[in-house]
Amino acid sequence: MGNGRTFGGDAADSTPFIKKAPSLGHVKIERGYGGLVIRHPCKGTSHTDPEDIQFTTIENAVYMGMKNDVSFILFYVMNIYERQGVYNPNMPVRQLMYAAKLYDKYIQVRGLNIYGKSLIRLPLPKLVTFYNGLEGEGDKILSLSEAFESDGEIMDPNIEVKTRMININHGSNPELMRACEPLAEYAWLVERIRENRRNGLGIEEAVDRAINDMPEDYEIRKFLIGNRAEVKDLCVTKYNEAETMKRFREEGREEGRKEGEDRLGRLVSLLIMKGRTGDAQKAATDKAARENLYQEFGIL
């Protein structure tokens, strides 16, 4: 059985989010540290039978684009998980979009008739955002209704989405960390990489030292050592994405108006859609190149 590795996370953070499980059907996932283990610490359960689990993660995510980190159906529950390295209050609408795509696929694959007279049965959605940013946000429930505009009148929206945000920084949620040791070890790794960066190390050296300093009994240590080059490449990629997005924001402020941010946002979206990530990075650092790209795409 071939291995496939999937990582995800927010572009503003340079640390990987590692997801592992064995290959089921067409989904590209990995065998766990000593066999399949899907821990469900939010519910206090764990599962080892691959027949119980159907992975539904949205594939083909684009560089610096919106992506679905991991989702799976276990029994009657569709679990949609995201990891964010920066606090994002828009996770309810993002996860609503993910859920809509996943339900559409679920309905199509099973040939369910949404136009018939019989009620179709759907898995129960559970939306979770694992947060390990540095803004100091704690556990909370994020609600889609908080985004709806109103003229001050209290109205009951016909659509509501709630996302549970859980802080997974090192030292947070000790009960959760005890229930899922690999998650606690990942939190330790992220904190150690950040500490190494604060001490002046480059991102590759910071990752190397964090892996070398990892306690011998950590479950994820063997995986990280065996995939060290890939882990470093991912961290460098995420770090470069973070720097690029930071420059985009700085350029928007420098232009001194909302239109500047809108132009940059439109340009970035178009370049990403066309797979021109090199031009996206060039636009962030080279004003002349950025102006040429504005002209090329007719962004005036």
Side-chain angles (χ1 to χ4, degrees):
M1 181 183 300
N3 282 339
R5 304 178 185 87
T6 55
F7 297 79
D10 195 278
D13 189 19
S14 60
T15 51
F17 182 51
I18 304 166
K19 304 188 288 289
K20 308 184 78 210
S23 183
L24 301 174
H26 68 283
V27 182
K28 190 176 288 186
I29 38 186
E30 283 187 278
R31 188 163 295 280
Y33 306 110
L36 170 65
V37 179
I38 298 296
R39 293 176 173 85
H40 204 317
C42 300
K43 295 178 64 177
T45 60
S46 63
H47 304 273
T48 58
D49 186 352
E51 298 302 320
D52 291 339
I53 303 162
Q54 176 190 345
F55 283 82
T56 57
T57 305
I58 300 172
E59 301 289 345
N60 301 321
V62 296
Y63 180 89
M64 289 195 293
M66 184 180 293
K67 56 186 176 290
N68 167 237
D69 278 341
V70 66
S71 55
F72 59 93
I73 297 174
L74 182 58
F75 301 121
Y76 59 88
V77 178
M78 180 181 288
N79 301 274
I80 304 176
Y81 291 171
E82 288 291 307
R83 199 283 303 189
Q84 291 290 297
V86 174
Y87 173 64
N88 186 339
N90 299 306
M91 289 312 298
V93 69
R94 286 176 57 176
Q95 291 194 302
L96 171 63
M97 295 166 68
Y98 302 148
K101 292 180 181 179
L102 293 170
Y103 278 122
D104 181 63
K105 181 177 179 180
Y106 182 91
I107 290 166
Q108 295 295 328
V109 168
R110 286 159 180 77
L112 301 178
N113 181 13
I114 61 174
Y115 303 103
K117 294 183 178 180
S118 299
L119 181 68
I120 65 171
R121 310 302 297 179
L122 299 172
L124 179 76
K126 287 294 182 181
L127 312 180
V128 179
T129 295
F130 293 103
Y131 162 79
N132 64 348
L134 299 175
E135 297 91 344
E137 298 288 339
D139 296 1
K140 62 177 66 178
I141 301 296
L142 303 176
S143 300
L144 179 65
S145 57
E146 295 174 359
F148 296 143
E149 294 183 349
S150 69
D151 57 4
E153 181 182 356
I154 298 177
M155 301 180 69
D156 184 22
N158 292 125
I159 296 178
E160 179 62 290
V161 176
K162 294 183 178 181
T163 296
R164 181 183 179 190
M165 189 176 85
I166 302 174
N167 191 317
I168 59 167
N169 276 304
H170 186 59
S172 299
N173 278 303
E175 184 176 347
L176 172 66
M177 297 300 179
R178 284 193 296 271
C180 186
E181 291 180 1
L183 181 61
E185 295 164 8
Y186 166 72
W188 181 95
L189 174 70
V190 171
E191 179 57 32
R192 184 54 62 94
I193 292 173
R194 287 172 172 167
E195 182 181 333
N196 291 340
R197 292 285 294 143
R198 288 193 294 268
N199 291 334
L201 297 185
I203 184 62
E204 290 193 51
E205 189 178 356
V207 175
D208 260 334
R209 184 167 296 184
I211 294 174
N212 292 338
D213 292 344
M214 181 170 284
E216 295 281 345
D217 61 344
Y218 274 20
E219 287 186 53
I220 69 173
R221 188 174 190 274
K222 184 177 180 181
F223 168 81
L224 293 173
I225 290 175
N227 298 274
R228 185 188 296 261
E230 185 176 15
V231 171
K232 286 198 295 185
D233 285 346
L234 265 168
C235 287
V236 171
T237 298
K238 291 296 178 183
Y239 178 74
N240 288 340
E241 290 179 7
E243 289 296 301
T244 299
M245 297 307 293
K246 180 181 177 183
R247 291 192 187 103
F248 283 140
R249 289 192 294 269
E250 289 173 350
E251 287 294 336
R253 288 194 294 269
E254 191 175 301
E255 292 185 28
R257 60 187 184 277
K258 186 178 184 298
E259 291 89 323
E261 294 183 357
D262 289 343
R263 291 177 76 204
L264 283 168
R266 288 170 59 197
L267 179 60
V268 172
S269 296
L270 289 168
L271 290 170
I272 289 174
M273 286 175 62
K274 293 181 177 295
R276 294 169 58 175
T277 56
D279 284 337
Q281 292 189 354
K282 190 180 295 182
T285 57
D286 187 330
K287 188 172 183 178
R290 182 167 60 252
E291 291 300 328
N292 288 336
L293 288 166
Y294 281 148
Q295 293 293 326
E296 178 184 342
F297 287 95
I299 302 175
L300 305 176

